[in-house]
């Protein structure tokens, strides 16, 4: 991670607006009064100890989790129980999972063309061209006709990124994309994500890769116990953390 | 290493070891025997006991089988032949009954000059299935279709089909095979039309009756496509239109066309069905209908919509909790009380409906197991890509869940096929009990107990074993995990 991307990207209008978001699992209060505005082109890294609600937060943004109170507006569409709105938001927001979640019964190419063909109604040939374009971008076009089970973890995760990109999303969510990978493979996935960042994609990324946060993020958000404890530019966040909880977290994660 | 000092821990590999072939596995018959059968005192003892039991079974059965008689006119004849050949006390099987009454075992009371019709229906079943069953193995497909065409033709000829009938069959089947080999699109249509064609062949009458039943489906489909923008409403409208067509119009229309252009085959009534024709008719219909119904029930049971879920649970638990015979009795006796007097609701159709409902309840639970086995991530990935419920089910979830469920699904198929012999309780002539009893009731075959059971059992075994082998082939073909 030698890239020295500076956090001086010109930011556009609001892409995601989250206000007074609250969520409970049963009686457990996972997210408490979350307020967050994301501008178009902004890159946010969300960090925090496990169980702090960071994954839940980004899963609320494409309604994989339902929220009980507060508002989430993605690209001008508010997430409610309206299924049409949910499908609209989901087709605009790409998501990359910790465990890749590729479809094992389809080839790499079919994984990438399925949603464009069936959701966007793109002709098959065009969808395949788009898919090959993005597979080249993540540097595995030669694997297009293999099945996910034949690929390494890092390759699978890059396919998962390509699969999301094929839908031409305006926002990308990453839910611990490198946590299930070997150290050697983490780099290849992070490099792909850095390239994506350089293209100006709006990104929300839950990760423990602090090097990535320093290199790419405009803003680092630290969460604990379902709340945003601290947010700042990466430079300030790492060099000059304000809250005690953040200092403790950083000393544990960077101290070894 | 140049430095043999044992205290030195520093080590740098200079050359990488080349890969070597694995050691040849020690083999040989004697080694295998020693490892598997005679590895210790207990194993030696068990092996000897096992061999003893095998010998006991074999030595009892062998004389009976080896003395068997295949050419005789009656049971008494059989006994005479055996006594003459092997002495007065020798016992022997009299498989002559099978040879003598073969047609009855297979066709029941189906008119003998029309035997070619069920044969053709069975043969074309493979033409309808081959493009689906062997989708990416043209070689297997060609073997199956070739065998089906050749056997159908030869058997029909042997059973006395006329030249005109044989000519028609040949043209139909060869055209179909040509279609299978050249066009993939229309072949699916041909397979969808097949059930209606088979009904016409088996029961006869005018072709317009099944054709108009098919027209109802087409009509429903057209309505559904035309209104598909309206979601569930389109589906409801399609069902209503199709039902209206079937109940009010199809009869009139089919009779109308039939007066102009009859296209009739000699009608055969349901009580003339029997033997394997009956079993296979019920079995194949039940298999074909219970799978889609089972899928719908399984999805309903996992649905988030409480009413649909409760209805599915009640249906599945009720049907599974009741013996099949009860349902068959309901079909044959109780239903008459509820239907308007004079309704002619075909008994085989009623039995098919009950058998289908019964099998679909089991099928639903098998498929639910497959659905539950899929990781949650698959559902989430499909959701995150913006696929709606039906698309996610059809493209992502069901292909994987059904693949996982193949062994259970085929078990249910096999169980259902064997259960078709239970139709004896509602007065239909199943091959195992009713047909053998009927044959035994004639004077010359009194006393032939084992032979019909062994014969019918073997045919069932062959058919079920075939299904089982196919399912293993399918599992291998769909294997994608590359572990």
């Amino acid at each position: 991670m030698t890239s020295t991307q500076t956090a001086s990207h010109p930011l556009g209008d609001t892409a995601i607006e989250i206000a007074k978001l609250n969520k409970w699992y049963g009686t457990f209060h996972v997210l408490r009064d979350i307020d967050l505005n994301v501008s178009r082109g902004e890159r946010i890294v969300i960090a925090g100890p496990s169980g702090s609600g960071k994954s839940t937060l980004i899963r609320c943004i494409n309604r994989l989790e339902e929220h009980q109170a507060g508002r989430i507006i993605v690209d001008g569409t508010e997430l409610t129980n309206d299924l049409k709105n949910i499908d609209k938001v989901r087709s605009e927001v790409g998501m990359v999972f910790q465990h890749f979640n590729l479809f094992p019964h389809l080839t790499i190419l079919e994984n990438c063309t399925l949603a464009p063909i069936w959701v966007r109604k793109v002709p098959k040939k065009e969808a395949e061209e788009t898919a090959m374009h993005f597979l080249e971008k993540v540097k595995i076009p030669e694997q297009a006709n293999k099945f996910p089970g034949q690929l390494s973890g890092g390759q699978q995760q890059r396919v998962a990124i390509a699969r999301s990109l094929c839908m031409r999303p305006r926002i990308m969510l990453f839910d611990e994309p490198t946590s299930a990978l070997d150290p050697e493979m983490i780099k290849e996935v992070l490099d792909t994500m850095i390239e994506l960042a350089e293209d100006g994609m709006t990104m929300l990324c839950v990760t423990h890769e602090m090097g990535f946060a320093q290199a790419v993020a405009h803003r680092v958000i630290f969460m604990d116990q379902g709340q945003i404890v601290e947010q700042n530019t990466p430079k300030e966040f790492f060099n000059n953390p304000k809250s005690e909880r953040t200092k403790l977290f950083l000393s544990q994660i960077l101290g070894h | 290493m140049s430095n043999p000092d044992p205290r030195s821990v520093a080590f740098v590999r200079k050359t990488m070891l080349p890969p070597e072939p694995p050691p040849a596995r020690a083999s040989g018959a004697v080694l295998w025997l020693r490892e598997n059968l005679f590895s210790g005192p207990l194993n030696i003892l068990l092996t000897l006991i096992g061999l003893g039991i095998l010998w006991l079974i074999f030595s009892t059965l062998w004389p009976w089988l080896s003395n068997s008689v295949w050419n005789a006119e009656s049971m008494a004849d059989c006994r005479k032949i055996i006594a003459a050949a092997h002495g007065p006390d020798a016992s022997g099987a009299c498989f002559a009954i099978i040879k003598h009454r073969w047609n009855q075992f297979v066709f029941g009371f189906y008119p003998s000059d029309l035997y070619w019709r069920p044969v053709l229906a069975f043969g074309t079943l493979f033409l309808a299935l081959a493009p689906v069953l062997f989708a990416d193995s043209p070689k297997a497909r060609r073997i199956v279709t070739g065998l089906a065409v050749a056997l159908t033709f030869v058997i029909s000829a042997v059973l006395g089909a006329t030249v005109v009938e044989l000519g028609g069959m040949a043209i139909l089947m060869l055209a179909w095979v040509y279609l299978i080999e050249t066009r993939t699109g229309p072949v699916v249509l041909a397979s969808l039309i097949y059930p209606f064609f088979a009904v016409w062949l088996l029961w006869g009458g005018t072709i317009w009756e099944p054709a108009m039943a098919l027209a109802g489906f087409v009509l429903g489909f057209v309505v559904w496509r035309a209104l598909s923008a309206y979601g569930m409403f389109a589906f409801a409208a399609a069902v209503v239109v199709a039902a209206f067509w079937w109940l009010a119009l199809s009869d009139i229309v089919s009779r109308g066309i039939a007066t102009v252009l009859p296209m009739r085959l000699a009608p055969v009534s349901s009580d003339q069905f029997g033997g394997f024709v009956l079993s296979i008719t019920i079995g194949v219909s039940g298999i074909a209908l219970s799978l889609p119904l089972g899928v719908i029930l399984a999805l309903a049971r996992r649905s988030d919509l409480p009413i649909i879920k409760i209805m599915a649970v009640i249906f599945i638990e009720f049907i599974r909790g009741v013996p099949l015979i009860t349902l068959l009795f309901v079909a044959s006796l109780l239903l008459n009380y509820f239907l308007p007097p004079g309704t002619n609701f075909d008994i085989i159709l009623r039995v098919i409906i009950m058998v289908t409902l019964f099998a679909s309840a089991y099928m639903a639970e098998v498929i639910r197991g497959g659905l539950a086995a899929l990781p949650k991530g698959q559902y989430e990935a499909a959701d995150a890509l913006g696929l709606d419920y039906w698309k996610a089910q059809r493209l992502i979830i069901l292909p994987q869940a059904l693949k996982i469920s193949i062994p259970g699904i085929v078990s249910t198929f096999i169980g259902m096929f064997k259960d078709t012999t239970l139709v004896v309780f509602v007065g239909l002539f199943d091959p195992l009990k009713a047909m053998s009893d009927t044959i035994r009731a004639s004077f010359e075959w009194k006393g032939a107990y084992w032979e019909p059971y062994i014969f019918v059992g073997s045919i069932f075994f062959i058919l079920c074993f075939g299904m089982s082998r196919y399912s293993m082939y399918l599992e291998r073909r769909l294997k994608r995990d590359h572990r």
Side-chain angles (χ1 to χ4, degrees), chain A residues 3-42:
Chain A
S3 163
T4 50
Q5 179 86 11
T6 49
S8 60
H9 197 276
L11 299 180
D13 49 353
T14 307
I16 303 171
E17 186 184 341
I18 298 174
K20 290 274 175 237
L21 175 67
N22 278 279
K23 176 172 175 57
W24 290 261
Y25 284 130
T27 56
F28 178 60
H29 200 169
V30 221
L31 295 179
R32 308 179 196 179
D33 276 349
I34 303 280
D35 288 301
L36 179 65
N37 279 311
V38 183
S39 308
R40 192 161 304 291
E42 189 172 8

Side-chain angles (χ1 to χ4, degrees), chain B residues 211-222:
Chain B
M212 290 304 123
L214 175 62
F217 283 104
V218 174
L219 206 63
F221 181 73
V222 168

